[in-house]
Amino acid sequence: MTTGKMGQSAINAAFERAAHLIFDAEPKILRDDYAVRFCGFQDDSAFVTQYNENYARLVRISEDNARAFVRSYRALAVIRHRYTEDELSRALQQGISQYVILGAGIDYFDLRRRELQDKMRV
């Protein structure tokens, strides 16, 4: 997948959401069943291979620091999206009918949250 800088940030965020689904225990903070494919991987196995290669590069610097960085970065990405979607749910209950996603990146919220298509305009 060829992307610009903004597109790459969307892929990085999706990469962390995919890692959350694959590596973190239940209950999941956020479900993103499209993340692996959005990042350009055919399946979870291909994703895990790339994840392990990325992690191996970080471990060369410091294993303890790499583990802490990976976990905190993933948590930040997942929690940020979960918070936004929780706030959106509250706004829907208050009657909003439109959700505007600001940014120059790639987003696939409408694919992940198809149940909202009849309730609001994205």
Side-chain angles (χ1 to χ4, degrees):
M1 178 181 294
T2 304
T3 63
K5 185 176 182 181
M6 292 300 176
Q8 188 59 50
S9 66
I11 292 170
N12 291 345
F15 192 89
E16 297 307 324
R17 292 190 304 266
H20 172 59
L21 280 181
I22 293 170
F23 298 117
D24 295 338
E26 294 289 345
K28 302 300 183 194
I29 294 170
L30 179 80
R31 290 213 168 265
D32 184 346
D33 297 322
Y34 292 92
V36 169
R37 288 195 339 243
F38 181 77
C39 293
F41 300 100
Q42 293 296 319
D43 55 31
D44 289 0
S45 177
F47 175 87
V48 169
T49 298
Q50 183 63 56
Y51 180 93
N52 288 337
E53 288 175 13
N54 292 356
Y55 187 76
R57 284 193 294 275
L58 286 174
V59 167
R60 281 184 265 179
I61 299 167
S62 164
E63 186 166 355
D64 290 338
N65 289 344
R67 187 177 307 114
F69 173 78
V70 166
R71 287 181 180 172
S72 61
Y73 188 76
R74 180 165 64 233
L76 175 65
V78 171
I79 290 169
R80 183 183 73 212
H81 287 275
R82 174 60 188 262
Y83 174 80
T84 301
E85 292 187 24
D86 285 353
E87 288 300 309
L88 176 61
S89 293
R90 283 191 260 297
L92 276 168
Q93 292 172 354
Q94 295 174 357
I96 68 113
S97 60
Q98 181 172 304
Y99 178 46
V100 178
I101 301 170
L102 299 175
I106 303 167
D107 191 276
Y108 58 99
F109 173 84
D110 57 330
L111 293 175
R112 290 190 304 105
R113 300 296 305 271
R114 291 181 187 265
E115 77 276 11
L116 297 176
Q117 287 178 348
D118 295 334
K119 296 178 182 175
M120 63 184 223
R121 182 173 166 223
V122 177

